[in-house]
């Protein structure tokens, strides 16, 4: 009898480890921009789009809030400055290569109108103020300010709005919704730079201040400027000095500094007055966030790698807030010239990190202790707590436990008695406040479970081909789960392991299934486990014979003699010994021939013969046999290479004798 191969046991070890989910900085999505240069960036909160101009590529790239490119607006040679209409219905772009202001629909992201500004005007930097769209224009030595009045049926372009003060080049303009009639101007990339302030409440630009007014306060190579939320302060970003300068709008006198380091490149002021200051550096913080008139940043952000290289340098003018200050968009550049759009969520709130440490293992229904710490650069208010959730087999969606107080040093500790075994996960969350981001961490505990009794009967039994056999799995005591599965895996790669019965055991703990057996089969009973008892399996390997029948042809009579039926065959006749056996690809039958000699049956030869696809093998005996000698034969099945799907089977003997 063949012994079936033993099953391979697979043990899965689940260990516990302290996991910190909280990050050192707020969530920051990042995506490489398909641009070769950056002119400006504008945020459309209504459609949740970010627009970036690409002067070299002559296009505007529109992305979603994750940085994924949505569409590109082409055919805009040299496009630089961008401005969104107050109702977010249109994006206006200054296109110097076309001497025009171009309107783009924010709904369809397609160009809808061009407003010519005049040959050779080279418009650069649009900005809304006083109900008009203002723009800087002009080439070297001929810079000035123009306006586009879109409130009339036929929009009107008015140039030379500052006739008495020509600019060295097209001035960059800045406005703020909080000061709707104030326009600020300055020329980029000259040293020293100068600024001007205009009142546009009458529809024309009236210069109210020029400066800076002292030599010591003059900066070099202006890259960006922004008007404060209340209109009282201007903040500039220039290559020198190595901080962001501030000037009073009323007279452009120095009004303090925002002490960012290295070369300032960008500045953007949120509706609530928060100042975002960007610098050109590749390692230290490159974005500083200040409250108005403060000298200590409320937050800083670093994007580069610790090795000192990476996509960390803020491009000139590469900052933009959402109107609700919930996001800050930052464009950075790498040393290879690529550009990345970064999205800072909750940029002004201090980053919070939560750590947690639970025991690796524990005993069910016994007390355990979980510890951890909540960390931030900014102190937490008194009375801070963390929320705790326990997730286990009986509470797969999580069960809320009591809030846990945080000590003055940020540590916390709590005790719990896990009611369920298996993998138990504890999640600790700091829900955040006006000054801190949210953060959470999880850790798992392998909690013990009892091992239930599970058996499956009839292991090792041998059955005839086609026998209907009932197998019974028995499950002992469990907590709540009383369901079993029974799987049958017949030998042979052409037959899959199959679920043959599933259900709840009866009052005796039994679940049965009846199978029609045609091959050796491994049966497996599976219990999935529950909150107090672990998963277990039980197996039963049974053996199934093949079906064999044999016959003799060519005989002239039969006779019952020597306690058997003998077939009589003439010596001159070649009998055919026919075998019919259960077919399987490549199967062969072993024909065993014996002769009765000196009072015993003795081997007279044995040979394997292939079966046809119908399971038939016919062997013809030839030659001149000895008469009056008793013979018998039978067909046998034995395991062979490529055919081990049944167990060894012996057919019945057939008897014959040759006569003259």
């Amino acid at each position: 009898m063949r012994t079936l191969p033993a099953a391979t046991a697979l043990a899965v070890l689940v260990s516990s480890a302290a996991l910190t989910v909280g990050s050192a900085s707020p969530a920051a999505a990042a995506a490489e921009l398909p641009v070769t240069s950056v002119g400006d960036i504008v945020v459309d909160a209504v459609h949740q789009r970010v627009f970036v101009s690409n002067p070299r590529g002559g296009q505007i790239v529109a992305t979603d809030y994750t940085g994924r490119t949505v569409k590109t607006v082409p055919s805009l040679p040299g496009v630089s400055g961008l401005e969104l209409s107050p109702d977010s219905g249109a994006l206006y772009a200054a296109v110097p290569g076309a001497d025009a202001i171009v309107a783009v629909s924010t709904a369809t992201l397609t160009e809808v109108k061009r407003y010519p500004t005049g040959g050779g005007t080279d418009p650069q930097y649009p900005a809304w103020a006083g109900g008009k769209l203002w723009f800087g224009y002009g080439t070297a030595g001929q810079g000035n300010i123009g306006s586009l009045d879109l409130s009339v049926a036929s929009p009107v372009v008015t140039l030379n709005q500052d006739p008495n003060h020509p600019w060295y080049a097209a001035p960059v303009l800045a406005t703020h919704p909080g000061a709707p009639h104030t326009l600020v101007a300055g020329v980029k990339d000259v040293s020293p730079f100068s600024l001007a302030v205009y009142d546009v409440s009458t529809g024309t630009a009236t210069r109210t201040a020029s400066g800076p007014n002292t030599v010591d306060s003059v900066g070099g190579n202006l890259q960006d400027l922004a008007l404060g939320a209340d209109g009282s302060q201007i903040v500039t970003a220039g290559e020198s000095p190595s901080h962001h300068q501030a000037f009073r709008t009323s007279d452009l006198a120095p009004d303090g500094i925002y002490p960012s380091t290295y070369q300032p490149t960008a500045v953007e002021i949120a509706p609530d007055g928060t100042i975002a200051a960007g610098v050109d550096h590749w390692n230290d913080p490159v974005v500083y966030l200040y409250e108005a008139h403060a000298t200590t940043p409320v937050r800083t952000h670093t994007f580069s790698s610790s090795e000192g290289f990476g996509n960390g340098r803020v491009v000139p003018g590469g900052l933009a807030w959402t109107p609700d200050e919930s996001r800050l968009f930052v464009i950075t550049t790498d040393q290879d010239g690529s550009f990345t759009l970064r999205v800072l969520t909750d940029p002004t709130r201090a980053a919070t990190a939560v750590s947690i440490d639970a025991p690796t293992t524990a005993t069910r229904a016994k007390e355990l202790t979980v510890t951890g710490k909540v960390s931030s650069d900014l102190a937490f208010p008194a009375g801070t707590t963390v929320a705790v959730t326990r997730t286990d087999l009986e509470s797969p969606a999580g069960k809320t436990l009591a809030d846990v107080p945080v000590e003055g040093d940020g540590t916390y500790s709590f005790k719990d008695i896990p009611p369920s075994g298996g993998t138990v996960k504890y999640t600790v969350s700091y829900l955040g406040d006006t000054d801190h981001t949210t953060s959470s961490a999880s850790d798992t505990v392998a909690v013990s479970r009892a091992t239930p009794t599970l058996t499956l009967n009839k292991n090792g039994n041998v059955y005839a081909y086609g026998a209907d056999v009932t197998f019974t799995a028995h499950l002992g005591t469990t907590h709540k789960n009383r369901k079993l599965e029974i799987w049958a895996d017949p030998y042979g790669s052409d037959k899959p392991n199959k679920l043959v019965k599933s259900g709840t055991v009866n009052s005796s703990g039994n679940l049965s299934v009846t199978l029609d057996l045609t091959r050796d089969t491994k049966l497996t009973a599976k219990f999935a486990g529950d909150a107090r008892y672990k998963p277990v399996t039980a197996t039963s390997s049974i053996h199934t014979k093949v079906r064999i029948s044999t016959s003799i042809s060519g005989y002239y009579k039969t006779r019952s003699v020597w306690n058997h039926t003998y077939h009589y065959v003439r010596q001159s006749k070649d009998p055919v010994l026919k075998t019919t056996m259960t077919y399987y690809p490549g199967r062969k039958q072993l024909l065993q021939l014996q002769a009765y000699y000196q009072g015993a049956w003795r081997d007279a030869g044995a040979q394997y013969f292939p079966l046809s696809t119908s399971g038939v093998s016919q062997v013809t005996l030839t030659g001149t046999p000895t008469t009056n000698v008793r013979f018998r034969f039978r067909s046998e099945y034995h395991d062979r290479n490529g055919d081990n799907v049944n167990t060894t089977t012996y057919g019945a003997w057939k008897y014959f004798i040759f006569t003259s």
Side-chain angles (χ1 to χ4, degrees):
M1 183 179 298
R2 174 163 54 87
T3 301
L4 296 178
T8 301
L10 177 64
V12 179
L13 177 63
V14 179
S15 61
S16 173
L19 304 175
T20 300
V21 177
S23 136
S25 54
E32 186 170 342
L33 288 168
V35 299
T36 55
S37 63
V38 171
D40 201 0
I41 176 174
V42 168
V43 176
D44 173 11
V46 172
H47 300 93
Q48 294 201 340
R49 295 282 183 260
V50 179
F51 298 101
V52 179
S53 62
N54 177 10
R56 291 180 186 172
Q59 60 184 198
I60 297 173
V61 174
T63 78
D64 61 17
Y65 271 15
T66 68
R68 180 182 64 89
T69 298
V70 176
K71 193 173 182 180
T72 299
V73 183
S75 304
L76 304 171
V79 60
S80 56
L82 305 175
E83 181 74 332
L84 193 66
S85 65
D87 64 357
S88 296
L91 175 72
Y92 293 95
V95 185
D99 289 324
I101 302 295
V102 175
V104 175
S105 168
T106 53
T108 63
L109 302 180
T110 56
E111 179 181 329
V112 294
K113 185 73 174 177
R114 291 198 176 200
Y115 303 96
T117 56
T121 51
D122 293 339
Q124 297 283 333
Y125 309 104
W128 279 103
K132 291 184 178 181
L133 184 67
W134 302 83
F135 57 92
Y137 72 91
T139 55
Q142 298 179 348
N144 212 306
I145 296 173
S147 65
L148 173 61
D149 187 355
L150 293 162
S151 64
V152 294
S154 298
V156 177
V157 172
T158 304
L159 302 178
N160 199 29
Q161 288 273 9
D162 192 9
N164 299 320
H165 304 85
W167 290 86
Y168 176 77
V172 58
L173 306 181
T175 60
H176 198 287
H181 300 295
T182 301
L183 181 69
V184 176
V187 176
K188 296 177 64 173
D189 299 317
V190 296
S191 185
F193 65 76
S194 60
L195 303 174
V197 182
Y198 299 88
D199 178 359
V200 296
S201 60
T202 63
T204 60
T206 302
R207 186 180 285 224
T208 59
S210 299
N213 295 325
T214 63
V215 175
D216 292 340
S217 66
V218 175
N221 294 322
L222 180 71
Q223 301 296 303
D224 199 8
L225 76 165
L227 179 63
D230 62 0
S232 65
Q233 188 181 66
I234 302 167
V235 181
T236 62
E239 292 183 358
S240 66
S242 295
H243 54 253
H244 285 69
Q245 295 175 282
F247 302 92
R248 285 200 307 258
T249 307
S250 58
D251 57 5
L252 291 178
D255 196 25
I257 66 169
Y258 296 95
S260 54
T261 57
Y262 306 104
Q263 294 180 350
T265 57
V267 58
E268 184 76 358
I269 300 178
D272 69 349
T274 302
I275 298 165
V279 303
D280 180 358
H281 201 258
W282 49 83
N283 189 17
D284 289 346
V286 292
V287 175
Y288 297 76
L289 302 178
Y290 297 92
E291 294 180 352
H293 304 288
T295 57
T296 300
V298 294
R299 280 298 312 280
T300 63
H301 297 272
T302 303
F303 306 125
S304 60
S305 65
S306 59
E307 290 79 12
F309 296 98
N311 240 13
R313 302 161 60 188
V314 179
V315 302
L319 297 171
W321 289 95
T322 55
D324 62 0
E325 300 99 27
S326 64
R327 290 177 176 84
L328 175 65
F329 295 90
V330 185
I331 301 178
T332 60
T333 186
D334 201 354
Q335 57 184 351
D336 64 1
S338 62
F339 296 90
T340 298
L341 176 64
R342 301 180 183 276
V343 189
L344 296 177
T345 303
D346 292 328
T348 60
R349 292 200 288 172
T352 303
V354 175
S355 67
I356 181 173
D357 188 14
T360 302
T361 60
T363 302
R364 192 193 67 80
K366 298 292 185 180
E367 187 177 80
L368 56 79
T369 300
V370 178
T371 61
K373 188 173 184 178
V374 185
S375 304
S376 177
D377 292 337
L378 183 65
F380 294 97
T384 294
T385 61
V386 289
V388 180
T389 302
R390 181 185 65 224
T391 305
D392 54 31
L393 290 172
E394 290 195 327
S395 301
K399 179 179 176 60
T400 301
L401 305 183
D403 288 351
V404 176
V406 176
E407 301 297 329
D409 61 356
T411 60
Y412 66 85
S413 175
F414 66 89
K415 299 182 183 297
D416 187 46
I417 299 176
S420 298
T423 299
V424 177
K425 181 173 75 172
Y426 290 96
T427 300
V428 174
S429 302
Y430 177 68
L431 303 182
D433 55 41
T434 56
D435 297 320
H436 298 85
T437 61
T438 60
S439 184
S440 64
S442 298
D443 200 4
T444 57
V445 184
V447 179
S448 63
R449 287 186 285 177
T451 302
T453 300
L454 180 62
T455 59
L456 186 58
N457 65 351
K458 299 182 179 177
N459 181 49
N461 288 5
V462 179
Y463 297 97
Y465 184 91
D468 292 333
V469 180
T470 299
F471 299 90
T472 299
H474 176 76
L475 178 64
T477 301
T478 60
H479 177 46
K480 290 183 178 180
N481 185 12
R482 300 296 293 165
K483 294 182 179 180
L484 291 179
E485 291 181 349
I486 300 178
W487 292 72
D489 188 8
Y491 270 43
S493 60
D494 60 328
K495 297 290 185 180
N497 190 19
K498 184 178 180 181
L499 177 64
V500 293
K501 186 69 174 286
S502 64
T504 302
V505 298
N506 61 21
S507 59
S508 299
N510 296 329
L511 182 68
S512 298
V513 63
T514 299
L515 301 179
D516 180 25
L517 300 177
T518 59
R519 296 186 182 185
D520 292 349
T521 303
K522 177 184 176 182
L523 289 96
T524 303
K526 298 181 180 181
F527 171 65
D530 59 26
R532 299 184 184 180
Y533 287 83
K534 65 178 63 174
V536 290
T537 61
T539 60
S540 178
S541 296
I542 56 90
H543 311 281
T544 304
K545 296 180 179 181
V546 298
R547 180 180 287 137
I548 300 176
S549 64
T550 55
S551 64
I552 302 174
S553 64
Y555 62 92
Y556 64 90
K557 71 173 183 178
T558 60
R559 181 181 176 188
S560 181
V561 62
W562 298 297
N563 297 321
H564 295 286
T565 298
Y566 274 79
H567 298 74
Y568 285 77
V569 183
R570 299 294 183 184
Q571 187 183 42
S572 59
K573 187 73 172 178
D574 293 336
V576 177
L577 310 182
K578 179 180 179 181
T579 298
T580 301
M581 182 181 292
T582 307
Y583 177 73
Y584 184 77
R587 177 163 289 177
K588 295 181 179 181
Q589 61 100 357
L590 178 64
L591 185 68
Q592 181 76 44
L593 185 64
Q594 291 186 345
Y596 193 80
Y597 177 68
Q598 293 183 349
W601 289 101
R602 304 179 188 278
D603 289 337
Q607 185 174 338
Y608 278 100
F609 295 95
L611 300 174
S612 70
T613 56
S614 61
V616 175
S617 171
Q618 299 188 85
V619 179
T620 302
L621 296 182
T622 61
T624 306
T626 303
T627 60
N628 299 318
V629 175
R630 287 185 279 165
F631 290 93
R632 69 178 182 179
F633 82 95
R634 72 180 178 187
S635 179
E636 302 173 2
Y637 165 79
H638 295 275
D639 284 353
R640 292 172 56 83
N641 290 338
D643 180 11
N644 65 342
V645 302
N646 291 93
T647 195
T648 298
T649 310
Y650 298 94
W653 290 105
K654 285 290 192 299
Y655 297 84
F656 63 97
I657 188 169
F658 289 98
T659 62
S660 58

